[in-house]
Amino acid sequence: PAGFGNWSKVQDLRLYENQLQGSLPPEWSAMTEMELFYLGKNELTGTLPAGFGNWSKVQDLRLYENQLQGSLPPEWSAMTEMELFYLGKNELTGTLPAGFGNW
């Protein structure tokens, strides 16, 4: 739900291996303390919200095995604490933004 965006202090959200459907709400960008974000193996669709680039503390982001589309937002290059980044088995297109080399 979009209302999760009100959880501005949440650091760890693990909802992997469910049957969650729909898109990633842009309101979740307000969860700026996020460090671990696991939503792999669901049925998520839509594009990757550019606002998730506000998650400057995220270290582990897993969105593998969904049906996400579009390209990687250049804003995500601000996630400079990234250690693990899994987006495999989606429908992403395009090239890696130049800023991703800052990880």
Side-chain angles (χ1 to χ4, degrees), residues 5-16:
N6 295 327
W7 297 354
S8 60
K9 304 234 185 257
V10 71
Q11 296 176 345
D12 185 339
L13 183 66
R14 301 179 196 212
L15 296 169
Y16 58 96

Side-chain angles (χ1 to χ4, degrees), residues 12-81:
D12 185 339
L13 183 66
R14 301 179 196 212
L15 296 169
Y16 58 96
E17 294 186 25
N18 287 289
Q19 296 173 353
L20 299 176
Q21 299 175 343
S23 60
L24 294 166
E27 293 86 356
W28 289 11
S29 301
M31 295 191 283
T32 57
E33 299 296 314
M34 188 63 66
E35 293 178 6
L36 303 171
F37 188 74
Y38 297 0
L39 267 83
K41 291 190 172 185
N42 279 292
E43 299 172 15
L44 300 174
T45 57
T47 60
L48 301 170
F52 283 18
N54 294 332
W55 294 356
S56 60
K57 297 179 182 181
V58 71
Q59 298 171 8
D60 188 342
L61 188 143
R62 301 179 192 204
L63 290 168
Y64 59 93
E65 293 188 37
N66 283 290
Q67 291 107 41
L68 297 168
Q69 300 174 339
S71 60
L72 294 170
E75 293 85 355
W76 284 28
S77 62
M79 299 175 172
T80 56
E81 299 296 316

Side-chain angles (χ1 to χ4, degrees), residues 72-99:
L72 294 170
E75 293 85 355
W76 284 28
S77 62
M79 299 175 172
T80 56
E81 299 296 316
M82 189 67 69
E83 294 177 9
L84 297 169
F85 185 71
Y86 298 145
L87 285 168
K89 295 190 177 182
N90 278 291
E91 299 171 18
L92 300 173
T93 58
T95 60
L96 291 176

